[in-house]
Amino acid sequence: MNDADLTRLSADDWDELINPRPVENDFDRVVEAAISRRGFLGGVLAFGSGAAAMGTGTMIPATSAQAQATSRFAFTPIDIQTDATVHVPRGYRWDVLIRWGDPIFPDAPGFNHETGGDAESADRIFGENTDGMESFQVGGRQLLAINHEYTNREINLPHATDGVPTGLDDVRKLQRLQGVAVIEVAEDAEGWHVVKDSPMNRRITHLTPMKIAGPAAAHDLLKTDADPTGTKSLGTFNNCGSGKTPWGTYLTCEENFNGYFGATGAVEVSDPVDAGYERYGIGADGWGYDYHKWDDRFDISKHPHEPHRAGWVVEIDPADPDSTPVKHTGLGRFKHENAEVVLASDGRVVVYMGDDERGEFLYRFVSNGAYTPGGPTEGLLDDGTLYAAKFHDDQSGEWLALTPETTGMASLAEVLVFARQAGSAVGATTMDRPEWIAANPHAVEAYCCLTNNKNRGVKPNAGGDETAVNGPNPRETNNYGQIVRWRPENDDYANDRFTWDLYVMAGNPEIYDNIYGGSENITAGNMFNSPDGMAFDSAGLVWIQTDGDNSNQGEFEGMGNNQMLVGDPVTGEIARFLTGPKGSEVTGLTWSIDRRTMFVGIQHPDAPFPDGEGKLPRSAIVAVKRDDGAPLG
């Protein structure tokens, strides 16, 4: 298709490469660069919940990260870092819990820095590129369910040129390094460790059998040679963010699944499959994985429906290591970031989800049935209605139902398999890459990281929808990102109407004195770009993780490595708590059952972290504690 080195492209850049869109220059609602930070967009920026909105007296002073912590932050904010390790505030410490290649079963080999391990044992070890995770208590055991999003192929396949697989054995190794790990962890006098002989430990990979449930199950679009019934699948892919249900199961979310498929011959498909390929970025070349050359089911010239079995939210029961994971078609098919589950006033299950691609949509699912503790849960994630969000510039919004009637599509199954086209049909608001969504445990409100969008006001999205500047996405060529917050009417998550504001706009106030300097709660001491991961702790503080430009140059000067910050939704304050190694993304966050340990994911470090010089860089989970042993979440 092209001569570009696909192995070195990010998923976002690869999407643009395989599906270039013409540049548009006629958008007439772009924000002028001269707009002052204090005056921009009136009341859209409302850092605090209620009376604190737009106030500056409680903001962290714009001096340095050495400003003293405020009453709700039990630490002194730290400065940026540009080195090869993790940093936390004074009075805290961190240790590595587990890293790529570490055994999670007694019979698994130790890590080999020369080979990166072999294909045979790749599903007996901790996988690559940790991302979303959740903690569970099952009986007296403490479990972590952890995503393994993708591979760093040049590192995982050191014998292969540019990490391109040379045969089926290489493909099998990559397939087994990805997916999900469920591990039992325990703490002793020497710290946290994995219980390798636990019967609960489990690896779920690209080769694990899955069930397909919900309205799209058994539809022709999901039928393949491998499963003519359309009710079974094999593997879960590009597992990014996560979620947790009230009944104690784990939700893993399939994001950039399109990169695993390619073609060895001519691709002969017709509507609606062909339209779906274009919108979802599925083409003849895979994203450097080359699965389609060695594993027949990823060859779309032979199996055109296979990509329809990816792009879903998958439910896993960590308490039952023999259970079969379930792909829930009721939640829609797109590039899922995470799945935030809350309950409506009447007990119905509400799931918020973002589609992480430039100019795509924010979604909500509302179940028909209500959740009852201890009651049956089958169907709660499939029998209901999927919606896409419409944000109005007057700070109101509504959820638009995606049904055959509202979209003009032939069936509910087509609506769900092609949820992006359904969102376009109803006129949902194009967003700046909706990533993690988190709900405040102390208020009926939810937050979404809109990580960045260099195409805002420049190009339409993959479906041709205009991406002109709009209310929650108020900057063209947005390289910094923002966090939008909404509150449903009548404090009911099932209500179709909501109000919204922006909790923070990331930016660089040292360079810009306009909208690109960020909101008033961004200072020289806490600035960041590309908010990505997000989670609330039990005290109602919101933890923000970044995956952005860490060059520390140009418009990103002074931001250092990617980081984790904590925000106060009441006052709008934001402070830097942790910095990751050079080149890494800080992603995935959960707490021990006693809340005295915070588990944080460090993904794709460029630096030789955590083993030091001369060793392969390895994604890892670190355990952060207070020196005095007090709770920190």
Side-chain angles (χ1 to χ4, degrees):
M1 181 177 64
N2 54 66
D3 296 326
D5 183 357
L6 300 180
T7 65
R8 297 178 182 274
L9 293 176
S10 70
D12 303 310
D13 290 337
W14 185 76
D15 281 336
E16 293 229 328
L17 182 67
I18 66 171
N19 191 14
R21 271 80 74 183
V23 175
E24 298 287 342
N25 295 310
D26 59 352
F27 295 115
D28 58 4
R29 298 178 59 225
V30 299
V31 177
E32 296 294 334
I35 294 179
S36 71
R37 293 174 65 206
R38 287 186 182 276
F40 111 89
L41 296 182
V44 169
L45 282 171
F47 318 128
S49 299
M54 294 302 293
T56 59
T58 58
M59 297 298 104
I60 297 174
T63 53
S64 74
Q66 302 305 317
Q68 289 297 309
T70 58
S71 58
R72 296 196 77 200
F73 298 159
F75 63 93
T76 299
I78 66 173
D79 286 314
I80 66 165
Q81 300 292 333
T82 59
D83 61 8
T85 190
V86 170
H87 293 268
V88 294
R90 184 181 296 109
Y92 293 76
R93 65 183 186 273
W94 67 273
D95 294 292
V96 174
L97 169 68
I98 192 169
R99 72 210 89 187
W100 160 50
D102 284 348
I104 64 171
F105 297 98
D107 61 347
F111 186 70
N112 187 322
H113 278 275
E114 297 297 323
T115 65
D118 57 34
E120 184 178 355
S121 63
D123 59 356
R124 309 290 290 170
I125 60 175
F126 192 66
E128 179 63 295
N129 282 327
T130 172
D131 206 304
M133 60 179 161
E134 306 287 344
S135 59
F136 299 87
Q137 187 170 21
V138 178
R141 305 178 188 270
Q142 189 159 181
L143 308 181
L144 295 179
I146 305 169
N147 286 348
H148 299 296
E149 185 178 10
Y150 64 101
T151 55
N152 296 323
R153 294 181 293 281
E154 290 180 304
I155 297 171
N156 307 136
L157 301 176
H159 64 280
T161 303
D162 295 326
V164 177
T166 60
L168 182 60
D169 196 56
D170 286 349
V171 168
R172 288 287 185 254
K173 178 179 179 179
L174 298 179
Q175 291 173 332
R176 290 167 179 156
L177 286 176
Q178 299 171 76
V180 177
V182 179
I183 55 176
E184 181 179 350
V185 296
E187 188 179 24
D188 58 25
E190 296 182 359
W192 286 93
H193 64 277
V194 177
V195 182
K196 296 185 183 68
D197 60 353
S198 171
M200 312 304 290
N201 291 356
R202 183 181 187 187
R203 279 297 315 280
I204 296 164
T205 72
H206 290 185
L207 303 170
T208 302
M210 308 267 156
K211 296 177 183 177
I212 299 174
H219 191 273
D220 286 347
L221 285 168
L222 275 78
K223 294 178 180 178
T224 66
D225 290 348
D227 173 37
T229 72
T231 61
K232 295 180 289 185
S233 183
L234 197 62
T236 180
F237 306 96
N238 208 256
N239 303 85
C240 188
S242 59
K244 187 175 182 178
T245 67
W247 49 93
T249 57
Y250 181 68
L251 301 180
T252 183
C253 300
E254 300 182 329
E255 192 188 25
N256 294 300
F257 64 89
N258 57 319
Y260 298 101
F261 299 94
T264 59
V267 181
E268 297 180 1
V269 293
S270 58
D271 281 341
V273 178
D274 192 36
Y277 278 6
E278 182 175 359
R279 184 63 183 272
Y280 285 85
I282 298 166
D285 289 338
W287 179 32
Y289 280 100
D290 278 4
Y291 280 10
H292 61 287
K293 296 178 181 178
W294 309 102
D295 189 338
D296 214 40
R297 68 187 173 105
F298 294 91
D299 188 340
I300 59 175
S301 64
K302 299 176 181 178
H303 306 288
H305 287 178
E306 189 69 37
H308 300 154
R309 305 202 295 176
W312 305 102
V313 174
V314 183
E315 185 179 16
I316 298 168
D317 184 358
D320 182 1
D322 296 320
S323 60
T324 301
V326 180
K327 295 197 172 190
H328 287 289
T329 62
L331 301 181
R333 174 176 166 268
F334 44 88
K335 291 185 178 181
H336 288 274
E337 182 71 18
N338 81 315
E340 180 73 346
V341 183
V342 293
L343 296 178
S345 299
D346 59 3
R348 284 182 290 167
V349 177
V350 176
V351 187
Y352 288 119
M353 301 164 286
D355 186 353
D356 184 10
E357 189 172 316
R358 299 179 184 102
E360 290 298 341
F361 307 127
L362 192 63
Y363 295 86
R364 180 191 69 163
F365 170 85
V366 181
S367 68
N368 289 331
Y371 166 68
T372 302
T377 59
E378 186 175 358
L380 287 181
L381 296 180
D382 283 308
D383 180 17
T385 303
L386 187 67
Y387 299 79
K390 179 73 172 180
F391 290 81
H392 301 293
D393 287 352
D394 64 358
Q395 294 183 252
S396 68
E398 57 190 307
W399 292 101
L400 307 175
L402 304 180
T403 67
E405 293 74 23
T406 62
T407 63
M409 300 173 77
S411 66
L412 179 57
E414 286 193 18
V415 168
L416 298 172
V417 172
F418 303 121
R420 285 183 168 179
Q421 291 94 315
S424 294
V426 299
T429 300
T430 60
M431 307 294 284
D432 286 350
R433 290 185 57 199
E435 299 226 34
W436 284 74
I437 300 169
N440 190 336
H442 298 299
V444 183
E445 60 183 20
Y447 295 62
C448 179
C449 288
L450 303 175
T451 190
N452 58 54
N453 184 1
K454 68 181 182 182
N455 290 341
R456 174 64 60 182
V458 177
K459 296 180 182 180
N461 69 7
D465 302 318
E466 287 192 352
T467 62
V469 165
N470 59 48
N473 309 278
R475 294 179 289 193
E476 70 171 336
T477 316
N478 175 20
N479 291 323
Y480 290 130
Q482 63 269 7
I483 297 177
V484 65
R485 166 174 55 193
W486 63 93
R487 302 179 180 91
E489 283 192 4
N490 300 323
D491 287 339
D492 183 3
Y493 284 119
N495 197 297
D496 289 344
R497 296 191 176 276
F498 59 88
T499 58
W500 65 269
D501 57 32
L502 295 180
Y503 172 65
V504 65
M505 290 189 67
N508 194 328
E510 293 291 274
I511 295 177
Y512 295 107
D513 189 24
N514 54 39
I515 197 171
Y516 294 95
S519 49
E520 291 287 349
N521 51 349
I522 292 298
T523 74
N526 69 2
M527 61 181 174
F528 62 92
N529 73 89
S530 300
D532 186 330
M534 184 165 49
F536 274 89
D537 64 20
S538 60
L541 297 176
V542 60
W543 295 81
I544 303 163
Q545 300 173 314
T546 72
D547 177 24
D549 191 305
N550 64 0
S551 65
N552 206 36
Q553 297 177 352
E555 62 182 327
F556 305 102
E557 183 176 355
M559 294 184 174
N561 293 348
N562 279 304
Q563 56 192 281
M564 183 167 72
L565 310 101
V566 61
D568 187 337
V570 177
T571 67
E573 295 165 289
I574 296 174
R576 184 181 297 114
F577 177 82
L578 176 149
T579 58
K582 182 68 175 177
S584 70
E585 170 188 354
V586 181
T587 182
L589 172 64
T590 193
W591 286 265
S592 60
I593 301 303
D594 63 8
R595 315 297 287 192
R596 297 178 188 276
T597 301
M598 172 187 288
F599 298 107
V600 183
I602 304 296
Q603 189 188 99
H604 63 71
D606 286 341
F609 174 86
D611 299 327
E613 292 297 330
K615 303 295 185 180
L616 290 177
R618 301 163 72 184
S619 60
I621 301 293
V622 299
V624 181
K625 298 193 70 173
R626 285 178 53 145
D627 290 342
D628 62 7
L632 74 164

